[in-house]
């Protein structure tokens, strides 16, 4: 191959980290991507058909969304393994957001779903420009586990009708469950038999052959059963006619006002979708078989997710995200780059062009069973147990998130989940760990008097450490902990505030420090500060704290501060920053 040809095949700098596999001459890498892509596509096709049904759209819309995402992500994404396309959470969020706006009009529903994908794409691109990638960290682990469990419950409830034939009524999960319970006499037995059989085959296949394309084999068997036994004539609902050919990109026919009504739902979809992308991408960042692979670029993933959603909206589909199950399947079958996504794209194109006959006789109960199977995999019982063992309060946080999603719905459940995460963060910072420090025999440095046996305070000196930034929510707690430490120490002469862990403070905390220093000084206690960083010293000066705690009482280390205390209380004429002979061990 000539140098000019190699240069032409080389992607632009910083673009398409996985497409470099196109230039590889190593057969094992190409073989892995080829096998991984075919395996993923065999799992993807029936899965995205089912997720389109969850979103309230024709099943073929799932293939359109998958094709659009598979075109864009290999060019913009930073992960070599991530599989982008329709996913359960974004599909359900789409249904919840669009149903009240569509007023039962299928054409309007499809246009609004495509518009939602476009707005999600714009939100992601703007978030990338504003460098808001940190938003992926707003969902704590307990909240995320609880949120996914709540989503799983809603997905299962949403599939009770296609699985059993019982018509559901009601606007929320609880109302739909009551409606189902009161309509059990309407269960259509052939439909239920198809659904339960497919669900059993999916579970058995996962145990016996976890790497095999079990979903594809199962839905093909279901379609074959419908054709052979004419189950559609017995009332088993099928997908019906599927339009052949590739979608033509165009803007959805909705008004600017309708775009505005999609903004809030789009924010929820973007947060959940991006969080899923980052968590899944990071989990598989080191599994690509290439030691030179770069870590996941969170900023770039925002752009890639935005581009994938814009493409999905233009082809008349719905919002997309990442799939943990498809990503894991690709990694397990040897995929090493985004070339496997290109292979999956070709397979999806072949289905769109030539697979209509098979899809027409696919029973809706089979897709419902596939959705239920995917939902059950979202519930991580082991993770609930681990969280419960770690801290009961975090288990309560996870369960509260489940209840919020079920009671308030998916969109508001997203906001509640974020709010609970932030509330838990504020709770931790508002009541952090604090300690009184002393010297332990034979161990350098100062330590919490409760941590090591034999640790004793320097007589008359209270060294107080607070392990959090100081702000309005914990200012009173800081003051109370310092005063409690001085009351527990007989004849306290100095209070030394170890502020190494205090990275910043607000004006409320500055006012508190001024008042605390004046109160202790009024009792005849000297107040000093150790290990304050330069930025914090600037905040102390701006807040007026250094007017009550003089600068000569700011010490760079604990040993210099302790030495200054000993010099001052022993009457030795030593400067505050010096260390006398026989002083404390270095920190």
């Amino acid at each position: 191959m000539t140098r000019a040809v190699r240069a032409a095949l080389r992607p632009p700098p910083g673009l398409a980290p996985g497409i470099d596999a196109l230039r590889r001459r190593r057969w094992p890498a190409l073989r892995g991507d080829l096998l991984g892509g075919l395996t993923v596509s065999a799992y993807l096709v029936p899965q995205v058909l089912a997720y389109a049904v969850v979103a309230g759209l024709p099943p073929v819309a799932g293939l359109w969304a998958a094709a659009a995402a598979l075109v864009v992500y290999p060019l913009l994404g930073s992960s070599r393994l991530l599989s982008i396309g329709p996913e359960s959470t974004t599909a359900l969020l789409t249904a919840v957001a669009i149903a009240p706006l569509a007023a039962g009009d299928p054409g309007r529903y499809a246009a609004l779903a495509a518009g939602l994908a476009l707005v999600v794409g714009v939100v992601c691109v703007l978030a990338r420009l504003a460098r808001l990638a940190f938003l992926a960290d707003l969902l704590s682990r307990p909240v995320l586990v609880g949120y996914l469990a709540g989503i799983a419950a809603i997905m299962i409830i949403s599939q009770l009708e296609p699985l059993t034939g019982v018509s559901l009524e009601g606007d929320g999960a609880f109302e739909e469950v009551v409606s189902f319970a009161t309509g059990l006499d309407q269960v259509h037995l052939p439909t239920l038999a198809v659904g339960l059989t497919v669900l059993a085959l999916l579970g058995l296949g996962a145990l016996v052959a976890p790497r095999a394309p079990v979903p594809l084999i199962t839905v093909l068997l279901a379609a074959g059963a419908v054709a052979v036994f004419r189950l559609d004539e017995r009332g088993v609902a099928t997908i019906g006619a599927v339009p052949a050919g590739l979608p033509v990109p165009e803007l959805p026919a909705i008004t600017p006002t309708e775009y505005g009504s999609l903004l809030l739902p789009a924010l929820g979809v973007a947060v959940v979708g991006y969080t899923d992308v980052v968590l899944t991408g990071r989990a598989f960042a080191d599994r690509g078989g290439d030691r030179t692979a770069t870590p996941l670029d969170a900023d770039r993933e925002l752009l890639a997710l935005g581009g994938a959603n814009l493409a999905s909206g233009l082809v008349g589909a719905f919002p997309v995200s990442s799939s943990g199950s498809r990503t894991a399947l690709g990694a397990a079958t040897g995929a090493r780059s985004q070339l496997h996504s290109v292979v999956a794209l070709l397979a999806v194109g072949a289905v769109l062009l030539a697979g209509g006959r098979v899809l027409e006789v696919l029973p809706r109960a089979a897709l419902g069973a596939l959705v239920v199977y995917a939902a059950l995999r979202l519930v991580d019982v082991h993770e609930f147990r681990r969280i419960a063992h770690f801290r009961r309060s975090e288990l309560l946080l996870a369960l509260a998130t489940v209840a919020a999603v079920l009671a308030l719905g998916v969109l508001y459940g997203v906001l509640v989940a974020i709010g609970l995460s932030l509330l838990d963060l504020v709770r931790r910072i508002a009541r952090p760990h604090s300690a009184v420090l002393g010297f332990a025999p034979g161990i350098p440095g100062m330590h919490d008097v409760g941590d090591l046996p034999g640790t004793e305070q320097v007589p008359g000196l209270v060294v107080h450490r607070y392990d959090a930034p100081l702000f309005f929510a914990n200012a009173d707690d800081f003051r109370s902990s310092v005063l409690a430490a001085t009351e527990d120490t007989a004849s306290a002469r100095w209070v030394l505030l170890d502020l190494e862990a205090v990275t910043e403070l607000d004006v409320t905390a500055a006012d508190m420090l001024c008042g605390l220093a004046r109160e202790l000084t009024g009792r005849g206690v000297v107040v000093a500060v150790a290990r304050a960083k330069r930025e914090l010293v600037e905040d102390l000066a701006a807040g007026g704290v250094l007017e009550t705690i003089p600068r000569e009482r700011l010490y760079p280390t604990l040993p210099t501060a302790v030495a200054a205390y000993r010099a001052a209380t022993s009457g030795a004429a030593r400067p505050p920053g010096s260390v006398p002979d026989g002083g404390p061990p270095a920190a």
Side-chain angles (χ1 to χ4, degrees):
M1 183 179 296
T2 67
R3 182 177 302 176
V5 174
R6 288 197 299 268
L9 291 176
R10 184 177 299 113
L15 184 66
I19 297 300
D20 62 353
L22 291 171
R23 298 181 289 110
R24 293 178 181 172
R25 289 183 290 271
R26 296 173 302 178
W27 169 243
L30 295 174
R31 180 182 58 191
D33 283 328
L34 179 61
L35 178 60
L38 292 175
T39 306
V40 168
S41 63
Y43 190 83
L44 176 146
V45 170
Q47 193 179 58
V48 299
L49 294 173
Y51 291 155
V53 173
V54 172
L57 294 165
V60 71
L63 294 174
W64 295 347
L70 291 172
V71 167
V72 172
Y73 186 81
L75 296 175
L76 299 180
S78 64
S79 171
R80 295 173 179 266
L81 292 176
L82 201 62
S83 178
I84 295 292
E87 189 46 42
S88 56
T89 51
T90 51
L92 191 57
L93 285 165
T94 299
V96 172
I98 301 303
L101 302 175
D105 183 346
R108 177 175 163 81
Y109 192 107
L112 287 170
L116 179 63
L118 290 178
V119 178
V120 170
V122 171
V123 167
C124 290
V125 172
L126 292 178
R128 168 63 184 91
L129 295 176
R131 300 185 179 276
L132 298 180
F134 69 90
L135 291 175
D137 300 325
L138 288 182
L139 293 178
S140 65
R141 184 61 182 172
V143 167
L144 185 62
V145 170
Y147 176 76
L148 291 178
I151 286 287
I154 292 179
M155 288 175 60
I156 293 172
I157 294 170
S158 71
Q159 296 306 304
L160 291 176
E161 182 170 340
L163 278 173
T164 64
V166 177
S167 297
L168 300 184
E169 297 179 357
D171 296 329
F174 294 113
E175 293 179 4
E176 289 181 348
V177 169
V178 172
S179 174
F180 176 75
T182 57
L184 287 176
D185 57 334
Q186 305 173 13
V187 171
H188 187 253
L189 293 180
T191 298
L192 179 63
V194 171
L196 292 180
T197 301
V198 171
L199 189 59
L201 290 176
L202 289 170
L204 181 63
L207 293 176
V208 176
R211 296 188 180 184
V214 175
L216 179 63
I217 296 172
T218 303
V219 296
L220 289 177
L221 289 175
V226 169
V228 172
F229 299 108
R230 298 184 179 180
L231 297 179
D232 53 337
E233 298 179 2
R234 301 185 182 184
V236 176
T238 61
I239 289 179
V242 177
L246 301 177
V248 178
E250 61 180 355
L251 289 173
I254 59 178
T255 66
T257 302
E258 289 173 323
Y259 275 115
S261 65
L262 295 173
L263 180 58
L264 181 58
L267 290 173
V269 174
V271 170
V272 173
Y274 179 60
T275 300
D276 195 21
V277 165
V278 172
L279 291 177
T280 305
R282 287 174 178 170
F284 288 90
D286 57 349
R287 301 187 187 183
D290 188 349
R291 296 181 180 179
T292 65
T294 57
L296 191 79
D297 186 334
D299 288 321
R300 188 157 161 177
E301 290 304 308
L302 262 177
L303 181 62
L305 182 62
N309 276 282
L310 288 172
S312 181
L314 289 175
V315 298
F318 57 98
V320 298
S321 179
S322 67
S323 170
S325 58
R326 296 197 297 267
T327 303
L329 190 62
T333 51
R336 298 188 183 184
S337 76
Q338 282 298 327
L339 181 59
H340 86 281
S341 292
V342 177
V343 174
L345 171 64
L346 296 176
V348 170
V351 172
L352 283 170
L353 293 173
R357 288 292 183 89
V358 176
L359 298 181
E360 284 182 12
V361 295
L362 186 62
R364 289 186 176 272
L367 295 184
L370 188 59
V371 172
V372 171
Y373 174 72
L376 292 175
R377 295 168 68 92
L378 290 178
V379 182
D380 195 337
V381 177
H382 171 73
E383 195 68 7
F384 273 102
R385 291 175 178 170
R386 187 178 72 88
I387 291 172
H389 180 73
F390 177 74
R391 187 176 290 126
R392 184 170 299 177
S393 62
E394 300 214 15
L395 175 63
L396 293 176
L397 188 62
L399 295 177
T401 305
V402 176
V405 172
L406 292 176
L408 302 177
V410 181
L411 287 176
Y412 287 107
V414 175
L415 300 178
V416 170
I418 294 174
L420 289 174
S421 288
L422 296 179
L423 182 62
D424 184 52
L425 173 63
V426 172
R427 179 186 64 84
R428 294 175 183 276
I429 299 178
R431 296 296 181 268
H433 176 263
S434 61
V436 174
L437 307 183
F439 290 105
I443 302 178
M446 301 192 75
H447 309 276
D448 188 336
V449 293
D451 285 350
L452 298 174
T455 303
E456 295 183 356
Q457 295 178 237
V458 177
L461 174 65
V462 176
V463 181
H464 179 272
R465 188 185 68 208
Y466 200 71
D467 296 334
L470 283 178
F471 69 123
F472 63 90
N474 61 17
D476 188 65
D477 180 68
F478 180 91
R479 176 181 178 276
S480 299
S481 64
V482 173
L483 293 179
T486 60
E487 292 173 359
D488 292 340
T489 303
S491 304
R493 304 173 67 180
W494 274 41
V495 170
L496 177 62
L497 304 177
D498 179 4
L499 300 184
E500 182 185 32
V502 179
T503 55
E504 59 182 351
L505 77 161
D506 64 4
V507 68
T508 303
D511 291 344
M512 176 275 298
L513 287 175
C514 292
L516 178 63
R518 284 192 293 265
E519 181 177 354
L520 291 174
T521 302
R523 297 181 188 179
V525 178
V526 174
V527 181
V529 171
R531 301 204 286 185
K533 298 178 176 63
R534 179 179 58 81
E535 294 81 2
L536 181 61
V537 173
E538 293 174 356
D539 289 342
L540 293 173
V545 179
L546 299 188
E547 297 175 9
T548 54
I549 303 177
R551 285 186 178 270
E552 56 267 23
R553 294 300 180 194
L554 302 183
Y555 299 96
T557 64
L558 290 177
T560 55
V562 173
Y565 164 74
R566 287 178 169 167
T569 56
S570 67
R574 293 181 180 272
S578 63
V579 181
D581 295 337

